[in-house]
Amino acid sequence: MCLARVDQRYRLRSEFAATLQEQQKFSLSNSEFETQDGMYEEYQIEIPQSFMALFVDAGRTKPNATRDVVASRYELCEDMATMLTETARSMFLSLGITEDDVLIQCYRGLTGTGAVVTGPEAIWVVHRLAELLEWPQLRGACFESNEA
């Protein structure tokens, strides 16, 4: 009986030590979550230059929005492109229209009433959608001549 208690205490101490060691891998610094290698989790998202360019004014080199804003907009646009892949593929197969027509319809939907993305973001989403589907990219003239 006494041996069982010693064994239980040893096991509890081992579990506590493992938990403590796990907690020490991560620390809170300036109210942000810092990983063991010193990088902040919020900077783990790699924003492509093509998207970052949407937030850089002509003649400037720095974005006109904070990194948090750009990152949240990027996540939204990337999610939109990913979610549209099945819809676009279905439109292409069921309606018998060209890949360009599908992308133009998606662009119109993205810029229509109740749009949650800006015009330039919608163009980026359509380009990303084409990339995900491995379709040819639409030319800029297609967006200009097909704006609703």
Side-chain angles (χ1 to χ4, degrees), residues 73-147:
R73 298 304 295 174
Y74 168 69
E75 287 179 330
L76 171 70
C77 290
E78 182 67 29
D79 288 348
M80 293 287 281
T82 303
M83 289 188 310
L84 283 170
T85 55
E86 287 306 312
T87 302
R89 192 175 288 123
S90 175
M91 286 172 61
F92 177 71
L93 296 173
S94 66
L95 300 177
I97 57 178
T98 67
E99 294 164 345
D100 282 356
D101 289 337
V102 171
L103 295 173
I104 290 168
Q105 289 299 323
C106 289
Y107 173 74
R108 286 181 179 162
L110 288 166
T111 56
T113 306
V116 296
V117 294
T118 64
E121 288 173 341
I123 292 171
W124 187 90
V125 169
V126 170
H127 282 296
R128 179 67 176 133
L129 175 60
E131 185 180 293
L132 291 170
L133 292 169
E134 298 179 357
W135 290 356
Q137 296 289 327
L138 276 177
R139 297 170 307 284
C142 292
F143 294 113
E144 294 166 12
S145 64
N146 289 294
E147 288 183 356

Side-chain angles (χ1 to χ4, degrees), residues 3-143:
L3 199 52
R5 277 193 180 160
V6 170
D7 186 47
Q8 182 181 17
R9 284 183 186 169
Y10 178 77
R11 187 177 45 80
L12 288 173
R13 283 184 185 160
S14 296
E15 288 175 3
F16 177 77
T19 304
L20 187 60
Q21 197 173 31
E22 203 54 38
Q23 288 175 348
Q24 289 174 347
K25 287 183 181 179
F26 301 101
S27 64
L28 291 176
S29 173
N30 297 327
S31 301
E32 295 176 325
F33 194 70
E34 187 178 346
T35 60
Q36 187 176 8
D37 61 1
M39 290 185 65
Y40 291 104
E41 195 170 296
E42 64 188 55
Y43 295 114
Q44 296 295 319
I45 300 169
E46 228 177 286
I47 301 170
Q49 287 299 320
S50 62
F51 191 82
M52 190 63 84
L54 301 178
F55 294 89
V56 178
D57 296 327
R60 301 280 182 144
T61 56
K62 292 186 178 182
N64 58 18
T66 65
R67 189 183 193 298
D68 290 341
V69 169
V70 175
S72 67
R73 298 304 295 174
Y74 168 69
E75 287 179 330
L76 171 70
C77 290
E78 182 67 29
D79 288 348
M80 293 287 281
T82 303
M83 289 188 310
L84 283 170
T85 55
E86 287 306 312
T87 302
R89 192 175 288 123
S90 175
M91 286 172 61
F92 177 71
L93 296 173
S94 66
L95 300 177
I97 57 178
T98 67
E99 294 164 345
D100 282 356
D101 289 337
V102 171
L103 295 173
I104 290 168
Q105 289 299 323
C106 289
Y107 173 74
R108 286 181 179 162
L110 288 166
T111 56
T113 306
V116 296
V117 294
T118 64
E121 288 173 341
I123 292 171
W124 187 90
V125 169
V126 170
H127 282 296
R128 179 67 176 133
L129 175 60
E131 185 180 293
L132 291 170
L133 292 169
E134 298 179 357
W135 290 356
Q137 296 289 327
L138 276 177
R139 297 170 307 284
C142 292
F143 294 113

